[in-house]
């Protein structure tokens, strides 16, 4: 895929706010190209965007061109996108009857995944093996043949040795499985195993702990993680992988940084950047106008020496702001659990 080269930002763009830029982009996309986006907006969002479009007036051609190129470049640079439960439900609600939407969303509310096999690939191997060891080896062979190979391997390792060998032998001899058999296995898994799992499964405590650690000051966070390294190194590693830190902001696309800059408290942002690496400072300054960048630098210089704890608290506040903007769908966050996945 060829990514379009960025064009210089036209001076007229500065007089357009974020919502106005979004409105101009939707106006330029038109009915056919913009329809998929409109379908995913809430009623309030449609009203707000429509109001902005109604009050736009004349939009200079360079502004329209810049917005379209920026939008195209940002989409083209993504390796993948990840929707949410809420946006899926909202999209279906405009297409299907309410009862059908409810049935579908209840079906996917359990372990994440689009199909039953995606869901099973997200179930812990120990939990899945514990349930499958009571099934017929042929049934288990069918199920494991449909899962990701890496996950099937971990499940096999958890099964009793003689049972797992029997399953492997059946997988080796297995020919194309009839669609009716697959459907029957899926229905059984849905009505029994997955339903019970959804009711009993609790949130991974590591996820909750990662959110808690994100709110700690830096010194306390490091002390706690260092202590966990000694007592429970696997848990410490998992928590670190789930955390989104101030340094992770350096992986965001420029439009996301610009949105954070627009929404952030300027005093708080100055304090956060006061203790930030030079690369992050450069990234934030690059998202501002020359005048705004100069004023922020002057604010930072005028602060004099500041406590490291105050800088860390301000940085944590910027991380929370970034997450809030991502939850509202206004920016994209790089998933810290993946090298290239993008989530909205």
């Amino acid at each position: 895929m060829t990514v379009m080269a960025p064009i210089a930002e036209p001076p007229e763009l500065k007089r357009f706010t974020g919502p106005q830029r979004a409105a101009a982009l939707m106006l330029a996309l038109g009915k056919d190209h913009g329809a998929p986006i409109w379908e995913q907006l809430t009623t309030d969002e449609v009203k707000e965007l429509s109001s902005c479009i109604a009050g736009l007036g004349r939009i200079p051609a360079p502004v329209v061109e810049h917005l379209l190129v920026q939008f195209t470049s940002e989409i083209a640079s993504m390796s993948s996108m990840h929707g949410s439960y809420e946006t899926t439900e909202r999209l279906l609600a405009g297409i299907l009857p309410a009862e059908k939407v409810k049935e579908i969303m209840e079906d996917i509310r359990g372990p994440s995944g689009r199909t039953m096999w995606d869901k099973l690939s997200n179930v812990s191997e120990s939990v899945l093996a514990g349930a499958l060891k009571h099934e017929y080896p042929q049934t288990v062979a069918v199920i494991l043949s449909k899962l990701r190979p890496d996950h099937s391997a971990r499940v096999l390792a958890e099964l009793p040795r003689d049972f797992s060998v029997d399953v492997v032998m059946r997988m080796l001899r297995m020919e194309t499985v009839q669609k009716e058999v697959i459907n029957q296995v899926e229905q059984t898994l849905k009505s029994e195993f997955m339903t019970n799992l959804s009711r009993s499964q609790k949130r991974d405590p590591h996820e909750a702990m990662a959110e808690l650690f994100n709110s700690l000051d830096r010194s306390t966070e490091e002390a706690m993680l260092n202590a966990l390294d000694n007592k429970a190194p696997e848990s410490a590693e998992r928590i670190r992988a789930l955390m989104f830190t101030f340094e992770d902001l350096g992986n965001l696309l420029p439009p996301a940084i610009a949105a954070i800059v627009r929404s952030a408290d300027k005093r708080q942002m100055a304090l956060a950047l006061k203790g930030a690496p030079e690369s992050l400072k450069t990234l934030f300054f690059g998202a501002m106008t020359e005048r705004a960048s100069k004023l922020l630098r002057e604010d930072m210089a005028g602060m004099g020496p500041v406590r490291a704890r105050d800088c860390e608290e301000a940085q944590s506040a910027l991380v929370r702001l970034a997450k809030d903007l991502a939850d509202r769908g206004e920016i994209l966050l790089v998933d810290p659990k993946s090298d290239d996945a993008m989530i909205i």
Side-chain angles (χ1 to χ4, degrees):
M1 180 182 291
T2 301
V3 179
M4 298 181 69
I7 61 174
E9 181 176 302
E12 304 98 322
L13 186 66
K14 293 184 175 66
R15 66 183 177 87
F16 290 90
T17 65
Q20 287 175 328
R21 296 181 190 191
L25 176 63
M26 293 304 296
L27 188 60
L29 289 175
K31 177 183 176 181
D32 293 336
H33 297 297
I37 300 176
W38 284 107
E39 289 174 354
Q40 298 198 48
L41 301 179
T42 64
T43 302
D44 289 341
E45 288 168 341
V46 169
K47 289 179 180 178
E48 181 181 1
L49 201 53
S50 300
S51 177
C52 285
I53 292 176
L56 274 177
R58 191 183 70 84
I59 310 167
V63 170
V64 177
E65 181 184 5
H66 180 82
L67 291 173
L68 287 170
V69 171
Q70 184 183 46
F71 176 75
T72 304
S73 299
E74 184 171 335
I75 295 300
S77 68
M78 297 178 197
S79 297
S80 62
M81 292 184 70
H82 174 70
S84 69
Y85 181 92
E86 290 74 17
T87 54
T88 302
E89 186 173 29
R90 210 157 59 210
L91 178 61
L92 292 178
I95 303 172
L96 302 172
E99 285 302 313
K100 188 65 175 177
V101 172
K102 182 180 178 181
E103 177 187 344
I104 293 172
M105 298 315 295
E106 284 180 353
D107 184 31
I108 68 173
R109 187 185 289 274
S112 60
R114 292 164 304 190
T115 69
M116 181 59 61
W117 312 112
D118 291 331
K119 293 179 183 181
L120 284 180
S121 290
N122 285 288
V123 174
S124 164
E125 57 267 20
S126 58
V127 172
L128 188 51
L132 294 181
K133 68 182 181 182
H134 302 297
E135 297 292 334
Y136 290 111
Q138 185 64 36
T139 302
V140 177
V142 172
I143 292 172
L144 293 188
S145 69
K146 297 288 289 182
L147 301 186
R148 296 195 314 264
D150 60 323
H151 196 60
S152 292
R154 290 193 293 271
V155 174
L156 274 173
E158 294 283 337
L159 291 171
R161 181 54 53 88
D162 290 345
F163 185 83
S164 63
V165 171
D166 192 358
V167 169
V168 169
M169 294 300 295
R170 290 169 187 269
M171 291 176 71
L172 288 171
R173 295 194 299 265
M174 190 166 57
E175 298 179 357
T176 303
V177 183
Q178 293 181 349
K179 186 176 180 180
E180 292 75 13
V181 174
I182 294 292
N183 290 339
Q184 184 178 0
V185 172
E186 279 192 83
Q187 189 57 41
T188 301
L189 289 169
K190 175 183 175 181
S191 61
E192 296 179 9
F193 177 67
M194 296 304 292
T195 300
N196 293 333
L197 181 66
S198 295
R199 289 172 181 167
S200 62
Q201 190 178 55
K202 296 180 179 179
R203 185 186 183 193
D204 184 349
H206 294 88
E207 293 182 10
M209 196 56 61
E211 290 184 5
L212 187 152
F213 274 38
N214 269 333
S215 300
L216 292 174
D217 63 84
R218 191 68 55 85
S219 58
T220 304
E221 170 197 311
E222 290 180 354
M224 294 295 290
L225 284 173
N226 288 337
L228 276 177
D229 281 331
N230 297 325
K231 295 182 177 295
E234 291 185 1
S235 291
E237 182 180 354
R238 179 156 176 75
I239 290 171
R240 284 192 177 97
L242 290 168
M243 290 176 66
F244 189 90
T245 66
F246 180 67
E247 285 70 23
D248 287 322
L249 295 178
N251 296 323
L252 299 186
L253 294 168
I257 295 293
I260 294 172
V261 168
R262 289 194 300 270
S263 302
D265 176 273
K266 298 304 179 278
R267 168 73 182 179
Q268 193 174 63
M269 184 165 59
L271 190 55
L273 293 179
K274 180 84 172 177
E278 285 301 320
S279 57
L280 259 180
K281 290 179 183 177
T282 301
L283 187 62
F284 272 80
F285 290 142
M288 305 177 193
T289 63
E290 185 175 345
R291 181 173 178 275
S293 174
K294 181 181 178 182
L295 289 174
L296 189 63
R297 290 177 190 271
E298 291 175 353
D299 287 344
M300 292 167 61
M303 287 179 177
V306 295
R307 293 192 308 169
R309 182 186 181 90
D310 292 337
C311 287
E312 291 166 2
E313 289 177 354
Q315 290 171 0
S316 294
L318 276 190
V319 170
R320 288 194 296 273
L321 171 62
K323 289 183 173 181
D324 288 341
L325 292 174
D327 288 341
R328 298 201 297 267
E330 296 181 25
I331 68 171
L332 303 171
L333 289 185
V334 174
D335 185 351
K337 302 183 288 299
S338 171
D339 291 333
D340 58 4
M342 304 293 292
I343 63 174
I344 60 172

